[in-house]
Amino acid sequence: MTEKDAGAPGLARLAALIADETRAACLLALLDGRAWTAGELARHAGVAASTVSEHLGKLVAGGLLAEERQGRHRYVRLADERVAHLVEDLAAQVAPEAAARRPHTLRASGAGSAMARGRTCYDHLAGRLGIAVTDALTGRGLLRQDTGFALTDAGLGWFRAAGIALTPTGRRPLARACLDWTERRPHLAGVAGAALCRHALRTGWCVRIGSERAVKVTPAGEAALSELLGIDPVALR
């Protein structure tokens, strides 16, 4: 094997690990950044608990999931932000095909609309909400997108003034572009995106709805985002 294709076996193993509908469903569910039990993921994927346990074991062994135990319960979560971006980027490639399929039920249609309106992507905001925030930051000169995402000095000042601490963790970039699979445009990720999402949920600007990743902006959030970023509340509904 030549040096040029030395990474081929590893890439093939990774692709095979993801190329299963049940495992893919589990990875997508875990994009909400929370830890799930095997039973919760089994119900979400529509398979038996014994079946999902086998799949989760493979994902943990492959380094895509991390597990922790509390008493009799076993929880799993995405291993890190790198895995989250891999899953989200792959989902963005198949979004047009998924969008072309009409929901079979009113409930599925409502859930899909809620996810498109606003959701968490691992630990940052996505959907129309994430794009609206990203566009507002950019329009006010707080975020640059010309050579990759980067906060400006004014942007760093905005986060400080809003009381949102930006604490670097490891080699994670301060600002990173993440391709939004419903909007087909990049939204803010990285340390800044995660800090903004935590702040929005902690202060009640946003609340989670349903059992998946969907979030909605509260009246308090509409007022805050209008005041701080000039976002029209109508765009957040």
Side-chain angles (χ1 to χ4, degrees):
M1 182 173 292
T2 66
E3 182 179 348
K4 189 174 183 179
D5 59 12
L11 179 60
R13 285 194 297 272
L14 175 62
L17 190 59
I18 298 174
D20 176 273
E21 190 168 341
T22 297
R23 292 197 288 270
C26 292
L27 290 169
L28 287 170
L30 291 166
L31 274 176
D32 68 357
R34 295 177 288 184
W36 290 47
T37 66
E40 290 169 336
L41 287 170
R43 289 190 293 273
H44 175 81
V47 298
S50 57
T51 299
V52 86
S53 291
E54 180 180 349
H55 286 299
L56 294 179
K58 292 180 179 180
L59 291 170
V60 170
L64 295 182
L65 298 185
E67 66 176 339
E68 54 190 67
R69 293 184 181 274
Q70 292 186 8
R72 295 179 302 168
H73 297 290
R74 173 198 186 197
Y75 293 87
V76 294
R77 63 171 72 247
L78 295 182
D80 51 33
E81 184 197 20
R82 172 189 56 86
V83 175
H85 285 306
L86 172 64
V87 175
E88 183 80 4
D89 288 346
L90 288 173
Q93 303 307 312
V94 299
E97 174 189 341
R101 295 196 297 268
R102 299 185 64 179
H104 295 298
T105 66
L106 184 60
R107 180 179 180 181
S109 177
S113 296
M115 288 277 283
R117 181 173 61 248
R119 64 183 183 279
T120 53
C121 172
Y122 188 49
D123 61 0
H124 54 271
L125 298 173
R128 293 196 299 275
L129 170 59
I131 294 297
V133 170
T134 300
D135 285 349
L137 288 169
T138 304
R140 293 194 163 208
L142 309 177
L143 176 70
R144 294 180 56 184
Q145 297 191 36
D146 49 355
T147 56
F149 275 24
L151 291 179
T152 63
D153 288 341
L156 293 171
W158 182 89
F159 274 85
R160 285 194 299 270
I164 304 174
L166 299 179
T167 306
T169 56
R171 293 185 294 176
R172 189 178 190 184
L174 189 60
R176 181 191 187 279
C178 180
L179 182 62
D180 197 293
W181 64 265
T182 52
E183 298 299 304
R184 308 295 291 170
R185 296 174 53 205
H187 56 243
L188 176 64
V191 172
L196 183 56
C197 181
R198 283 195 304 273
H199 185 79
L201 291 170
R202 185 174 62 248
T203 59
W205 292 0
C206 296
V207 293
R208 295 187 183 277
I209 56 176
S211 60
E212 298 189 11
R213 295 188 282 146
V215 298
K216 70 175 181 179
V217 181
T218 64
E222 290 182 356
L225 292 173
S226 176
E227 178 183 353
L228 295 172
L229 289 173
I231 300 176
D232 183 351
V234 175
L236 303 173
R237 298 170 185 165

